[in-house]
Amino acid sequence: MTSSRNRTGLFAAFASLGVTAAFIPAVLPSAERMLSAELSAAVPALFAGLLVGVLLSGPLLVRRPARVTLILGSALQAVALVAAAWAGDPVLFIAAAALAGLGFGLVEAAGSVAAKAAATGSATGLLSALMGTVAVCAALTPLAVAAGAAALPALSILAVVPLGTIVLLAGGHEPSASASDAPARREVRALLPLLPFAIALPLYVGVETVLSGWSAVIPARALTLDPAAAALGTSAFRALMAVGRFGAAGLRRRAVSPIAILAVGTIGAACLMTAAGLLVNDAPAGALVALAASVVLLAPSYGLILGLALDRLDAARSAAVTGTLVACGAVGGTFVPSLVLLIGRDPASSTTLIVSAALCAVVPVLVLIAARARQRTSTTS
Protein backbone atom coordinates (compact mmCIF):
# COMPACT_ATOMS: atom_id res chain seq x y z
CA MET A 1 0.00 0.00 0.00
CA THR A 2 2.43 2.61 -1.19
CA SER A 3 0.40 4.71 -3.63
CA SER A 4 -1.01 8.06 -2.53
CA ARG A 5 -4.55 6.70 -2.99
CA ASN A 6 -3.84 3.75 -0.71
CA ARG A 7 -2.18 6.03 1.83
CA THR A 8 -5.26 8.26 1.82
CA GLY A 9 -7.40 5.14 2.21
CA LEU A 10 -5.28 4.12 5.19
CA PHE A 11 -5.94 7.45 6.91
CA ALA A 12 -9.65 7.11 6.06
CA ALA A 13 -9.64 3.65 7.65
CA PHE A 14 -8.22 5.06 10.88
CA ALA A 15 -10.73 7.91 10.72
CA SER A 16 -13.49 5.29 10.70
CA LEU A 17 -11.94 3.80 13.85
CA GLY A 18 -12.36 7.15 15.56
CA VAL A 19 -16.01 7.35 14.51
CA THR A 20 -16.75 3.82 15.74
CA ALA A 21 -14.83 4.24 19.01
CA ALA A 22 -16.86 7.32 19.99
CA PHE A 23 -20.24 6.59 18.38
CA ILE A 24 -21.42 3.68 20.54
CA PRO A 25 -20.56 5.26 23.95
CA ALA A 26 -21.82 8.69 22.87
CA VAL A 27 -25.17 7.47 21.53
CA LEU A 28 -26.00 5.25 24.53
CA PRO A 29 -28.03 7.80 26.55
CA SER A 30 -30.17 8.77 23.56
CA ALA A 31 -30.65 5.13 22.51
CA GLU A 32 -31.65 4.13 26.04
CA ARG A 33 -34.24 6.90 26.14
CA MET A 34 -35.61 6.01 22.71
CA LEU A 35 -35.74 2.25 23.34
CA SER A 36 -36.69 2.56 27.04
CA ALA A 37 -34.09 -0.06 27.88
CA GLU A 38 -30.79 -0.50 29.71
CA LEU A 39 -28.02 -0.71 27.10
CA SER A 40 -24.88 -0.74 29.25
CA ALA A 41 -24.05 -4.18 27.85
CA ALA A 42 -23.28 -2.50 24.52
CA VAL A 43 -19.87 -1.35 25.80
CA PRO A 44 -18.54 -4.82 26.76
CA ALA A 45 -20.13 -6.12 23.55
CA LEU A 46 -18.06 -3.58 21.61
CA PHE A 47 -14.85 -4.74 23.32
CA ALA A 48 -15.77 -8.41 22.87
CA GLY A 49 -16.26 -7.84 19.15
CA LEU A 50 -12.95 -5.98 18.99
CA LEU A 51 -11.14 -8.89 20.61
CA VAL A 52 -12.70 -11.36 18.16
CA GLY A 53 -11.76 -9.08 15.26
CA VAL A 54 -8.10 -8.84 16.16
CA LEU A 55 -7.91 -12.59 16.74
CA LEU A 56 -9.45 -13.25 13.31
CA SER A 57 -7.10 -10.73 11.71
CA GLY A 58 -4.06 -12.97 12.22
CA PRO A 59 -5.11 -15.75 9.82
CA LEU A 60 -6.57 -13.21 7.38
CA LEU A 61 -3.40 -11.12 7.24
CA VAL A 62 -1.20 -14.15 6.70
CA ARG A 63 -3.30 -15.36 3.76
CA ARG A 64 -4.53 -12.11 2.18
CA PRO A 65 -3.16 -8.58 1.60
CA ALA A 66 -3.87 -6.07 4.36
CA ARG A 67 -6.08 -4.10 1.95
CA VAL A 68 -8.61 -6.96 1.84
CA THR A 69 -8.95 -7.04 5.63
CA LEU A 70 -9.24 -3.24 5.74
CA ILE A 71 -12.11 -3.32 3.25
CA LEU A 72 -13.88 -6.12 5.14
CA GLY A 73 -13.52 -4.36 8.49
CA SER A 74 -14.70 -1.05 7.04
CA ALA A 75 -17.78 -2.74 5.56
CA LEU A 76 -18.67 -4.28 8.93
CA GLN A 77 -18.32 -0.90 10.64
CA ALA A 78 -20.56 0.78 8.07
CA VAL A 79 -23.28 -1.87 8.53
CA ALA A 80 -22.96 -1.62 12.31
CA LEU A 81 -23.28 2.17 12.38
CA VAL A 82 -26.44 2.06 10.26
CA ALA A 83 -27.88 -0.81 12.31
CA ALA A 84 -27.23 0.97 15.62
CA ALA A 85 -28.76 4.22 14.36
CA TRP A 86 -31.92 2.45 13.13
CA ALA A 87 -32.16 -0.17 15.89
CA GLY A 88 -35.70 -0.56 17.18
CA ASP A 89 -34.81 -3.26 19.69
CA PRO A 90 -32.21 -3.40 22.50
CA VAL A 91 -30.85 -6.76 21.32
CA LEU A 92 -30.30 -5.36 17.83
CA PHE A 93 -28.46 -2.34 19.24
CA ILE A 94 -26.15 -4.53 21.34
CA ALA A 95 -25.55 -6.83 18.36
CA ALA A 96 -24.68 -3.77 16.26
CA ALA A 97 -22.16 -2.71 18.93
CA ALA A 98 -20.52 -6.15 18.79
CA LEU A 99 -20.41 -6.00 14.98
CA ALA A 100 -18.84 -2.53 15.17
CA GLY A 101 -16.15 -3.92 17.47
CA LEU A 102 -15.50 -6.80 15.08
CA GLY A 103 -14.93 -4.40 12.19
CA PHE A 104 -12.84 -2.14 14.42
CA GLY A 105 -10.54 -5.01 15.37
CA LEU A 106 -10.02 -6.09 11.77
CA VAL A 107 -9.22 -2.54 10.62
CA GLU A 108 -6.92 -1.76 13.55
CA ALA A 109 -4.80 -4.87 13.03
CA ALA A 110 -4.71 -4.63 9.22
CA GLY A 111 -4.04 -0.89 9.37
CA SER A 112 -1.02 -1.45 11.61
CA VAL A 113 0.41 -3.96 9.12
CA ALA A 114 -0.29 -1.59 6.22
CA ALA A 115 1.41 1.23 8.11
CA LYS A 116 4.48 -0.96 8.61
CA ALA A 117 4.59 -1.62 4.85
CA ALA A 118 4.00 2.03 3.92
CA ALA A 119 6.47 3.54 6.38
CA THR A 120 9.92 4.63 5.31
CA GLY A 121 12.18 3.43 8.10
CA SER A 122 10.46 3.23 11.51
CA ALA A 123 6.68 2.73 11.59
CA THR A 124 6.34 4.82 14.76
CA GLY A 125 5.97 8.18 12.98
CA LEU A 126 3.21 7.07 10.61
CA LEU A 127 1.40 5.17 13.36
CA SER A 128 1.47 8.27 15.57
CA ALA A 129 -0.14 10.32 12.78
CA LEU A 130 -2.74 7.60 12.15
CA MET A 131 -3.59 7.39 15.84
CA GLY A 132 -3.91 11.18 15.86
CA THR A 133 -6.48 10.85 13.07
CA VAL A 134 -8.41 8.38 15.24
CA ALA A 135 -8.39 10.87 18.11
CA VAL A 136 -9.60 13.80 15.96
CA CYS A 137 -12.53 11.84 14.53
CA ALA A 138 -13.39 10.43 17.95
CA ALA A 139 -13.46 13.99 19.34
CA LEU A 140 -15.80 15.23 16.60
CA THR A 141 -18.20 12.29 16.59
CA PRO A 142 -19.84 13.04 19.99
CA LEU A 143 -20.65 16.54 18.70
CA ALA A 144 -22.45 15.01 15.71
CA VAL A 145 -24.26 12.62 18.06
CA ALA A 146 -25.35 15.52 20.27
CA ALA A 147 -26.67 17.41 17.24
CA GLY A 148 -28.65 14.41 15.98
CA ALA A 149 -29.73 12.93 19.29
CA ALA A 150 -33.38 13.74 18.65
CA ALA A 151 -33.39 11.75 15.39
CA LEU A 152 -31.07 8.75 15.75
CA PRO A 153 -31.63 7.35 12.23
CA ALA A 154 -30.07 10.53 10.83
CA LEU A 155 -26.80 9.51 12.49
CA SER A 156 -26.44 6.68 9.99
CA ILE A 157 -24.80 9.36 7.80
CA LEU A 158 -21.64 8.65 9.81
CA ALA A 159 -21.33 5.39 7.88
CA VAL A 160 -20.03 7.52 5.00
CA VAL A 161 -16.58 7.44 6.64
CA PRO A 162 -16.01 3.65 6.44
CA LEU A 163 -17.81 3.57 3.08
CA GLY A 164 -15.38 6.19 1.79
CA THR A 165 -12.52 3.99 2.98
CA ILE A 166 -13.89 1.11 0.91
CA VAL A 167 -14.10 3.29 -2.20
CA LEU A 168 -10.52 4.50 -1.79
CA LEU A 169 -9.03 1.09 -1.11
CA ALA A 170 -11.08 -0.79 -3.69
CA GLY A 171 -9.80 1.55 -6.39
CA GLY A 172 -6.20 1.35 -5.20
CA HIS A 173 -3.45 -1.00 -6.26
CA GLU A 174 -1.81 -3.57 -4.03
CA PRO A 175 1.93 -3.65 -4.74
CA SER A 176 3.39 -6.98 -5.75
CA ALA A 177 4.69 -8.94 -2.81
CA SER A 178 8.38 -9.70 -2.73
CA ALA A 179 9.81 -12.95 -1.49
CA SER A 180 10.64 -11.34 1.83
CA ASP A 181 7.01 -10.31 2.24
CA ALA A 182 5.67 -13.84 1.94
CA PRO A 183 3.64 -14.95 4.95
CA ALA A 184 5.82 -16.36 7.67
CA ARG A 185 5.02 -19.02 10.19
CA ARG A 186 5.05 -17.90 13.77
CA GLU A 187 8.28 -18.91 15.45
CA VAL A 188 7.95 -18.81 19.23
CA ARG A 189 11.66 -18.18 19.75
CA ALA A 190 11.58 -15.23 17.33
CA LEU A 191 8.57 -13.74 19.16
CA LEU A 192 10.09 -13.88 22.65
CA PRO A 193 11.77 -10.44 22.27
CA LEU A 194 8.27 -9.00 21.78
CA LEU A 195 7.06 -10.24 25.18
CA PRO A 196 7.69 -6.89 26.96
CA PHE A 197 5.57 -5.15 24.29
CA ALA A 198 2.84 -7.79 24.65
CA ILE A 199 2.67 -6.92 28.36
CA ALA A 200 3.04 -3.15 27.92
CA LEU A 201 0.19 -2.92 25.39
CA PRO A 202 -2.60 -4.22 27.65
CA LEU A 203 -1.35 -2.08 30.54
CA TYR A 204 -1.42 1.05 28.39
CA VAL A 205 -4.76 0.23 26.73
CA GLY A 206 -6.25 -0.55 30.13
CA VAL A 207 -5.17 2.80 31.58
CA GLU A 208 -6.41 4.63 28.49
CA THR A 209 -9.74 2.83 28.78
CA VAL A 210 -10.05 3.99 32.39
CA LEU A 211 -9.59 7.59 31.28
CA SER A 212 -11.66 7.39 28.09
CA GLY A 213 -14.46 5.12 29.31
CA TRP A 214 -15.05 7.33 32.33
CA SER A 215 -14.13 10.63 30.68
CA ALA A 216 -17.66 11.89 31.39
CA VAL A 217 -18.13 10.12 34.75
CA ILE A 218 -14.97 11.46 36.40
CA PRO A 219 -15.72 15.19 35.86
CA ALA A 220 -19.41 14.62 36.66
CA ARG A 221 -18.59 13.16 40.06
CA ALA A 222 -15.59 15.32 40.84
CA LEU A 223 -17.34 18.61 40.04
CA THR A 224 -20.98 17.52 40.46
CA LEU A 225 -21.82 18.39 36.85
CA ASP A 226 -25.08 17.62 35.09
CA PRO A 227 -24.86 14.79 32.50
CA ALA A 228 -25.10 17.12 29.49
CA ALA A 229 -22.11 19.18 30.60
CA ALA A 230 -20.16 16.12 31.71
CA ALA A 231 -20.59 14.54 28.27
CA LEU A 232 -18.26 17.19 26.89
CA GLY A 233 -15.53 15.44 28.86
CA THR A 234 -15.48 12.74 26.19
CA SER A 235 -14.86 15.25 23.40
CA ALA A 236 -12.21 16.97 25.54
CA PHE A 237 -10.48 13.64 26.14
CA ARG A 238 -10.39 12.82 22.43
CA ALA A 239 -9.15 16.30 21.53
CA LEU A 240 -6.32 15.98 24.05
CA MET A 241 -5.44 12.58 22.60
CA ALA A 242 -5.20 14.17 19.15
CA VAL A 243 -2.86 16.86 20.47
CA GLY A 244 -0.59 14.27 22.06
CA ARG A 245 -0.50 11.94 19.06
CA PHE A 246 0.12 14.60 16.43
CA GLY A 247 2.71 16.14 18.74
CA ALA A 248 4.52 12.80 18.86
CA ALA A 249 4.34 12.52 15.07
CA GLY A 250 5.97 15.95 14.84
CA LEU A 251 8.73 14.93 17.24
CA ARG A 252 9.38 11.79 15.19
CA ARG A 253 9.77 13.94 12.06
CA ARG A 254 12.45 15.81 14.01
CA ALA A 255 14.19 12.48 14.60
CA VAL A 256 13.43 12.35 18.33
CA SER A 257 13.81 8.77 19.57
CA PRO A 258 10.47 6.96 19.97
CA ILE A 259 11.76 5.36 23.16
CA ALA A 260 12.54 8.81 24.57
CA ILE A 261 9.06 10.10 23.67
CA LEU A 262 7.43 7.05 25.22
CA ALA A 263 9.52 7.03 28.40
CA VAL A 264 9.13 10.76 29.12
CA GLY A 265 5.44 10.70 28.25
CA THR A 266 4.43 7.69 30.31
CA ILE A 267 6.54 8.62 33.33
CA GLY A 268 5.16 12.16 33.20
CA ALA A 269 1.59 10.84 32.83
CA ALA A 270 2.05 8.52 35.81
CA CYS A 271 3.25 11.43 37.96
CA LEU A 272 0.33 13.61 36.89
CA MET A 273 -2.23 10.86 37.52
CA THR A 274 -0.76 10.37 40.98
CA ALA A 275 -1.11 14.11 41.60
CA ALA A 276 -4.71 13.95 40.37
CA GLY A 277 -5.41 11.11 42.79
CA LEU A 278 -4.03 13.14 45.68
CA LEU A 279 -5.99 16.27 44.67
CA VAL A 280 -9.33 14.83 43.59
CA ASN A 281 -11.02 15.08 47.00
CA ASP A 282 -9.76 18.49 48.14
CA ALA A 283 -9.07 20.27 44.80
CA PRO A 284 -11.07 18.48 42.09
CA ALA A 285 -10.53 21.22 39.50
CA GLY A 286 -6.77 20.89 39.91
CA ALA A 287 -7.08 17.11 39.66
CA LEU A 288 -8.91 17.42 36.33
CA VAL A 289 -6.22 19.76 34.99
CA ALA A 290 -3.56 17.22 35.96
CA LEU A 291 -5.56 14.44 34.28
CA ALA A 292 -5.92 16.51 31.11
CA ALA A 293 -2.15 17.01 30.96
CA SER A 294 -1.59 13.30 31.58
CA VAL A 295 -3.82 12.43 28.61
CA VAL A 296 -1.64 14.52 26.28
CA LEU A 297 1.53 12.81 27.51
CA LEU A 298 -0.01 9.34 27.44
CA ALA A 299 -1.68 9.67 24.02
CA PRO A 300 1.24 8.63 21.74
CA SER A 301 1.98 5.45 23.71
CA TYR A 302 -0.10 2.94 21.75
CA GLY A 303 1.32 3.84 18.34
CA LEU A 304 4.86 4.01 19.75
CA ILE A 305 4.68 0.65 21.55
CA LEU A 306 3.17 -1.10 18.53
CA GLY A 307 5.56 0.64 16.13
CA LEU A 308 8.63 -0.31 18.21
CA ALA A 309 7.46 -3.92 18.26
CA LEU A 310 6.88 -3.99 14.50
CA ASP A 311 10.29 -2.39 13.87
CA ARG A 312 11.83 -5.61 15.16
CA LEU A 313 10.13 -7.68 12.45
CA ASP A 314 10.16 -7.90 8.69
CA ALA A 315 6.95 -7.35 6.72
CA ALA A 316 5.97 -11.02 6.66
CA ARG A 317 6.41 -11.57 10.39
CA SER A 318 4.64 -8.30 11.22
CA ALA A 319 1.54 -9.59 9.41
CA ALA A 320 1.73 -12.81 11.40
CA VAL A 321 1.94 -11.23 14.87
CA THR A 322 0.19 -7.87 14.65
CA GLY A 323 -3.19 -9.44 15.38
CA THR A 324 -1.75 -11.04 18.50
CA LEU A 325 -0.27 -7.76 19.74
CA VAL A 326 -3.48 -5.83 19.13
CA ALA A 327 -5.42 -8.64 20.85
CA CYS A 328 -3.20 -8.17 23.90
CA GLY A 329 -4.25 -4.52 23.95
CA ALA A 330 -7.93 -5.48 23.64
CA VAL A 331 -7.60 -7.83 26.60
CA GLY A 332 -6.17 -4.97 28.65
CA GLY A 333 -9.05 -2.71 27.64
CA THR A 334 -11.47 -5.32 28.94
CA PHE A 335 -9.87 -6.47 32.19
CA VAL A 336 -7.71 -3.62 33.51
CA PRO A 337 -10.64 -1.20 34.06
CA SER A 338 -12.52 -4.01 35.83
CA LEU A 339 -9.54 -4.58 38.13
CA VAL A 340 -9.09 -0.86 38.78
CA LEU A 341 -12.79 -0.45 39.58
CA LEU A 342 -12.70 -3.50 41.87
CA ILE A 343 -9.89 -1.89 43.86
CA GLY A 344 -10.97 1.75 43.70
CA ARG A 345 -14.75 1.17 43.76
CA ASP A 346 -15.47 4.60 42.22
CA PRO A 347 -14.11 5.83 38.84
CA ALA A 348 -13.42 9.23 40.38
CA SER A 349 -11.81 7.92 43.58
CA SER A 350 -8.28 8.69 44.64
CA THR A 351 -7.45 4.98 44.70
CA THR A 352 -8.62 4.47 41.12
CA LEU A 353 -6.35 7.22 39.81
CA ILE A 354 -3.31 6.15 41.83
CA VAL A 355 -3.65 2.48 40.81
CA SER A 356 -3.92 3.60 37.18
CA ALA A 357 -0.78 5.69 37.64
CA ALA A 358 1.10 2.69 39.03
CA LEU A 359 0.13 0.55 36.03
CA CYS A 360 1.14 3.35 33.68
CA ALA A 361 4.58 3.58 35.32
CA VAL A 362 5.29 -0.05 34.43
CA VAL A 363 5.00 0.63 30.67
CA PRO A 364 8.32 2.50 30.16
CA VAL A 365 10.13 -0.10 32.27
CA LEU A 366 8.97 -2.88 29.95
CA VAL A 367 9.89 -0.94 26.80
CA LEU A 368 13.34 -0.10 28.15
CA ILE A 369 13.87 -3.79 28.98
CA ALA A 370 13.02 -4.65 25.37
CA ALA A 371 15.37 -1.93 24.08
CA ARG A 372 18.28 -3.17 26.20
CA ALA A 373 17.64 -6.76 25.10
CA ARG A 374 17.82 -5.64 21.47
CA GLN A 375 21.09 -3.80 22.08
CA ARG A 376 22.60 -6.91 23.63
CA THR A 377 21.44 -8.98 20.66
CA SER A 378 22.94 -6.48 18.20
CA THR A 379 26.24 -6.45 20.08
CA THR A 380 26.61 -10.23 20.15
CA SER A 381 25.53 -10.80 16.55
Side-chain angles (χ1 to χ4, degrees):
M1 296 183 64
T2 57
S3 72
S4 59
R5 184 186 181 95
N6 282 334
R7 193 179 181 90
T8 302
L10 184 57
F11 273 90
F14 276 78
S16 73
L17 294 183
V19 172
T20 300
F23 177 78
I24 297 297
V27 82
L28 273 179
S30 299
E32 287 181 336
R33 183 179 59 187
M34 182 165 290
L35 298 177
S36 301
E38 167 64 43
L39 298 176
S40 297
V43 174
L46 179 69
F47 276 100
L50 190 157
L51 181 57
V52 172
V54 295
L55 290 174
L56 288 176
S57 69
L60 284 172
L61 290 169
V62 169
R63 292 173 174 81
R64 295 285 185 271
R67 184 166 62 96
V68 174
T69 304
L70 283 170
I71 290 173
L72 175 60
S74 297
L76 291 175
Q77 286 180 96
V79 171
L81 290 172
V82 173
W86 285 87
D89 181 81
V91 174
L92 179 58
F93 184 90
I94 292 171
L99 186 64
L102 177 61
F104 188 108
L106 291 173
V107 169
E108 183 177 15
S112 299
V113 171
K116 165 69 175 176
T120 302
S122 174
T124 54
L126 180 56
L127 277 171
S128 293
L130 290 168
M131 292 301 172
T133 301
V134 174
V136 168
C137 292
L140 295 176
T141 298
L143 302 180
V145 170
L152 289 186
L155 294 176
S156 58
I157 189 65
L158 293 173
V160 72
V161 181
L163 289 175
T165 302
I166 296 171
V167 171
L168 287 166
L169 294 177
H173 172 68
E174 191 75 32
S176 300
S178 64
S180 63
D181 293 336
R185 293 182 179 180
R186 299 184 188 187
E187 301 173 8
V188 175
R189 184 176 299 178
L191 298 181
L192 285 178
L194 299 182
L195 183 60
F197 300 109
I199 299 173
L201 275 173
L203 290 179
Y204 164 74
V205 173
V207 172
E208 182 190 318
T209 303
V210 168
L211 297 177
S212 64
W214 297 326
S215 56
V217 174
I218 292 174
R221 296 187 182 180
L223 299 177
T224 319
L225 300 176
D226 65 85
L232 296 177
T234 300
S235 286
F237 172 85
R238 297 296 180 179
L240 292 167
M241 290 288 284
V243 170
R245 287 173 171 173
F246 282 119
L251 291 174
R252 288 296 297 125
R253 284 194 294 271
R254 294 176 179 270
V256 178
S257 165
I259 293 178
I261 299 172
L262 180 66
V264 171
T266 49
I267 292 171
C271 293
L272 287 166
M273 278 190 281
T274 301
L278 297 174
L279 292 171
V280 69
N281 293 324
D282 298 325
L288 292 179
V289 171
L291 276 182
S294 73
V295 170
V296 175
L297 292 177
L298 197 62
S301 301
Y302 185 85
L304 292 172
I305 296 169
L306 188 57
L308 286 166
L310 293 180
D311 284 348
R312 283 152 174 76
L313 305 170
D314 56 28
R317 283 180 175 162
S318 68
V321 305
T322 296
T324 302
L325 289 172
V326 178
C328 289
V331 169
T334 302
F335 291 105
V336 169
S338 300
L339 173 63
V340 169
L341 188 58
L342 182 65
I343 297 172
R345 302 294 180 181
D346 182 352
S349 73
S350 174
T351 303
T352 294
L353 298 176
I354 291 174
V355 170
S356 299
L359 294 175
C360 179
V362 178
V363 172
V365 175
L366 291 167
V367 174
L368 289 172
I369 289 173
R372 290 191 65 181
R374 187 185 188 190
Q375 288 175 351
R376 287 196 299 269
T377 303
S378 300
T379 302
T380 56
S381 61

